[in-house]
Amino acid sequence: MPNMLVMDMEPTADCSQPEHFARSRRLQAWHPLAGKALLDRLRITGRPRPCADPELAARLRAGIERSLGQVPLSSLEVVTKGRLNRVLTCEDHRAATEFGTGGPSVAMACGALVDVLFRQLMTVGSIGDAMADGMAALAVDDHRRDLVSWIDHLGAADRAELAAEVARQADGISRRWPILEPGWFPRTQQSVRTRLLEGTIELSGRVDLAVGRPAEGAASVAFVEIKAGGRRVEHRADLHFYALVETLRSSVPPFVVATYYSRTGELDVDPVTDDLLVAAARRTAAGVAALRDPSSNTWCPRCLAPTFAALGNDGERTPTARVKGSDR
Amino acid sequence: MNAMERTKALMAPAGPPADEQVRSDLRGGMLHALSPEVDGLQPGHEIVVTMSLLRQTQSDPAGLAATEAPFSWKPVFVRRSLGLAVVEACATGRFRAPAAAIAPIASEAVAEWEHTGWRTYHWEPWLAGLAPGARATVLADALGWATSLWSAFDWSMFITMPQLGGADDQWVSPTSPAVRLKGRCELRLAVAAGDVSSPASGEGRGAAPLALVSVSAGCPGPGWREELAFLALVAALRSPARPLPARVVGVWPDSGSHGSVEISIAALEGAMDRVAAAVRARSEARLR
């Protein structure tokens, strides 16, 4: 399980007396970390930071390519976290991975709005009217045109409900996230990509927040994903995929990957280790194999049933989708 | 390769600039390659060749026939010029990191336009009219771009500050219709001359060799060498006022990739072939 914030909470008074400890536990209701404590949770993982290791990156790359048979494709196949999740999940559980791929919904709108508001906070340091700022940000993104139109046509009650939730989450991130030091090089929506098999497979991702000067010796970059909804099992695998792509592209892994749940203020933190990267490489190889060959033998991690791709039903295998293949 | 090694490689001594005869031969060769491609086309409609067109000709030739949408401002059109201004402000020591510079630099540009009416970057009125949320998105995009360029090099190693941005190199063929080559690079840097025994004459003589840096999104494609050499080709064709670049370095921050091309006649000829192929593909798309 990821390290939860609650596990970091330390009693603040002398806890040598049992009755005091029990009272303390009752009184210390869990609350989200904020400010320096939140940053410390990201920065201090309790493990040594990985070092730049071109050999590890080369081994991971070679491992994926070897498992795919090193046969280049004739066209470029772009592999994203969303495509991996869909192809590695059985039909019964596929709906859970399809968030954001169907038509707009209030949850999807909330997620998109919170994403751009977090970006605003990290860039200019403040959020004004959350709904107005979020809608203005989405309006300058051509890819969000349909979503903006959908929100504009929401009924008054639904829109008010959406605005209230967006404002609540924006208030939460504004209060809890400190202004990041410019010297930490905070950057939002960072694109990370790398190509395999003579450039015919591209692993591609977009990280909500990357912090830390790009590494040269020891790992110095942290990746954070913002989720406006509830926790899903795919979230950790998504981040592990990003850690793998970063390692392959720069030879230095991020030292930590984390998911911040803006609805609750929870922060799931995973220190990046060699084992994590190897597991991510295996999962990615299995996913790419399933995308390339629907008859390949993969199994849903939730129920061990044959995956959607194994059933020969991957709806994205058109040439256009192959080239575009983006989650966003 | 880390930022220090990349900077060292960029600054490494290069061969002397090519002489005017080489430039003259290049112009002749380019015209010879272009003439058959534009024959039979209606005059008047200029064909513009950029690095982006060279890439699209290889990766998505069918897309050349698509109708271009009318221009409207988007964050992507702002990020390079604002990002370059941010990097320059950091390189000159005014700010210590892009995140500190982005908001002041954008505000100053808008204030200057409001005060004088002069648009240094062209986007000032658009940015000024945006709501705070949209403006923050524009700044965030530019900040990401600037941070990539700022982290790609060790700026303390530059003995003389590279020129950041500046006008695109352009050359227009005397054909009908005309073919306009546009080369855009992010950095121009004078580097030390290496092999001084090589013959150099004409107006380029005495000038320090020039290295260019091009920043691109995504991953380098199979034709990245010719695409980088294209920038040197346009610079060579345009005028003898600047030395012909001796080296072009490409940086692809998304994929952590970089590549360098030492400019030679063979490299320039490879770029000419790509230009001719792009003009041919564009012409065919027009005739469809």
Side-chain angles (χ1 to χ4, degrees):
Chain A
M1 284 296 291
N3 302 312
M4 300 287 300
L5 281 181
V6 68
M7 295 166 70
D8 246 12
M9 306 276 293
E10 297 288 344
T12 53
D14 175 17
C15 56
S16 57
Q17 301 299 316
E19 64 276 18
H20 172 86
F21 188 68
R23 189 176 67 245
S24 174
R25 289 186 70 176
R26 280 197 306 275
L27 292 175
Q28 280 191 336
W30 179 83
H31 59 273
L33 289 182
K36 181 176 180 298
L38 188 150
L39 288 184
D40 283 348
R41 185 70 192 88
L42 273 176
R43 290 164 57 197
I44 304 166
T45 63
R47 290 171 184 266
R49 293 190 176 186
C51 291
D53 185 355
E55 280 185 21
L56 172 66
R59 281 202 307 275
L60 292 168
R61 180 181 295 275
I64 298 172
E65 291 182 338
R66 196 168 47 243
S67 73
L68 294 173
Q70 295 196 321
V71 180
L73 297 166
S74 54
S75 63
L76 175 65
E77 178 110 49
V78 178
V79 178
T80 63
K81 64 178 185 182
R83 296 196 79 201
L84 279 181
N85 285 333
R86 285 191 286 281
V87 82
L88 290 172
T89 307
C90 73
E91 198 163 12
D92 286 346
H93 286 113
R94 187 167 182 257
T97 70
E98 288 195 314
F99 178 78
T101 60
S105 63
V106 170
M108 180 184 170
C110 183
L113 287 161
V114 170
D115 266 359
V116 293
L117 291 170
F118 182 76
R119 197 175 191 209
Q120 176 175 343
L121 182 68
M122 291 298 112
T123 306
V124 300
S126 64
I127 298 171
D129 178 326
M131 193 65 182
D133 283 0
M135 287 297 283
L138 293 182
V140 290
D141 182 349
D142 285 347
H143 298 104
R144 298 296 194 182
R145 193 172 295 153
D146 290 348
L147 181 63
V148 169
S149 170
W150 184 85
I151 296 171
D152 281 339
H153 287 88
L154 275 178
D158 284 341
R159 188 177 169 106
E161 185 187 342
L162 173 64
E165 180 59 16
V166 168
R168 193 184 70 77
Q169 294 199 21
D171 177 60
I173 57 175
S174 297
R175 282 187 293 106
R176 292 172 199 141
W177 276 86
I179 304 297
L180 300 179
E181 279 288 318
W184 295 345
F185 286 28
R187 51 228 183 256
T188 53
Q189 298 293 319
Q190 184 182 352
S191 172
V192 289
R193 302 179 194 211
T194 192
R195 287 190 175 174
L196 306 168
L197 281 181
E198 299 175 23
T200 55
I201 292 173
E202 182 173 303
L203 309 183
S204 174
R206 193 171 283 278
V207 183
D208 286 340
L209 173 67
V211 193
R213 185 183 281 266
E216 302 199 343
S220 58
V221 173
F223 282 174
V224 182
E225 281 287 282
I226 305 299
K227 301 292 181 190
R231 185 178 272 106
R232 293 169 186 270
V233 293
E234 295 81 23
H235 292 165
R236 292 187 70 203
D238 292 347
L239 279 164
H240 298 179
F241 173 67
Y242 287 167
L244 172 69
V245 178
E246 176 67 7
T247 307
L248 294 178
R249 83 179 185 124
S250 72
S251 295
V252 192
F255 71 92
V256 71
V257 291
T259 307
Y260 182 77
Y261 294 94
S262 52
R263 195 173 68 174
T264 59
E266 291 166 296
L267 181 71
D268 287 358
V269 177
D270 267 344
V272 176
T273 62
D274 288 5
D275 288 346
L276 179 152
L277 293 169
V278 168
R282 285 190 182 135
R283 178 177 180 271
T284 300
V288 176
L291 284 167
R292 297 175 75 187
D293 177 10
S295 65
S296 64
N297 197 14
T298 57
W299 306 95
C300 175
R302 295 177 185 232
C303 63
L304 298 181
T307 62
F308 193 77
L311 298 172
N313 217 359
D314 176 11
E316 278 201 70
R317 296 179 65 82
T318 62
T320 305
R322 281 183 175 202
V323 173
K324 293 181 178 170
S326 170
D327 280 347
R328 294 169 196 256
Chain B
M1 189 180 273
N2 61 33
M4 195 170 70
E5 292 163 342
R6 194 178 293 124
T7 310
K8 222 180 254 180
L10 172 65
M11 295 170 65
D19 62 21
E20 183 55 26
Q21 184 56 48
V22 170
R23 289 172 181 252
S24 175
D25 292 348
L26 281 173
R27 282 187 208 106
M30 193 72 256
L31 273 177
H32 182 73
L34 287 177
S35 295
E37 308 303 347
V38 296
D39 262 1
L41 287 182
Q42 296 228 327
H45 289 287
E46 189 176 76
I47 295 175
V48 179
V49 180
T50 60
M51 191 191 275
S52 165
L53 181 70
L54 297 190
R55 287 180 181 148
Q56 193 182 2
T57 303
Q58 272 200 338
S59 64
D60 179 28
L64 293 173
T67 312
E68 284 183 23
F71 178 82
S72 62
W73 281 106
K74 297 173 186 176
V76 69
F77 298 142
V78 176
R79 71 180 176 202
R80 177 181 178 271
S81 55
L82 178 54
L84 283 170
V86 164
V87 170
E88 184 157 34
C90 295
T92 54
R94 204 178 144 209
F95 296 95
R96 64 192 178 92
I102 188 76
I105 294 292
S107 296
E108 285 167 14
V110 169
E112 177 73 9
W113 164 71
E114 286 171 341
H115 183 62
T116 65
W118 177 255
R119 295 186 295 171
T120 305
Y121 305 102
H122 301 286
W123 40 252
E124 293 94 329
W126 179 69
L127 189 67
L130 288 178
R135 187 175 164 134
T137 295
V138 176
L139 300 194
D141 263 15
L143 174 59
W145 192 94
T147 303
S148 294
L149 177 57
W150 181 246
S151 337
F153 297 101
D154 182 342
W155 293 79
S156 67
M157 291 174 65
F158 290 123
I159 298 157
T160 54
M161 186 55 57
Q163 181 193 346
L164 284 122
D168 296 349
D169 285 323
Q170 299 200 37
W171 177 76
V172 183
S173 72
T175 53
S176 180
V179 176
R180 180 183 296 270
L181 309 189
K182 286 175 78 170
R184 170 173 292 185
C185 66
E186 277 61 54
L187 304 183
R188 291 182 175 91
L189 176 73
V191 297
D195 180 8
V196 291
S197 64
S198 291
S201 61
E203 299 190 44
R205 189 184 185 112
L210 194 64
L212 309 181
V213 176
S214 166
V215 180
S216 301
C219 305
W224 65 268
R225 287 183 182 81
E226 295 82 22
E227 288 155 13
L228 292 182
F230 167 75
L231 299 181
L233 174 66
V234 186
L237 293 170
R238 70 180 281 277
S239 91
R242 287 184 189 159
L244 192 153
R247 173 182 301 134
V248 186
V249 171
V251 180
W252 291 262
D254 293 356
S255 58
S257 310
H258 60 91
S260 179
V261 174
E262 299 297 311
I263 298 305
S264 62
I265 298 295
L268 294 168
E269 284 174 349
M272 277 202 276
D273 290 345
R274 290 286 300 277
V275 170
V279 171
R280 188 181 318 130
R282 177 64 94 193
S283 305
E284 286 169 2
R286 273 191 190 175
L287 292 172
R288 254 178 245 150

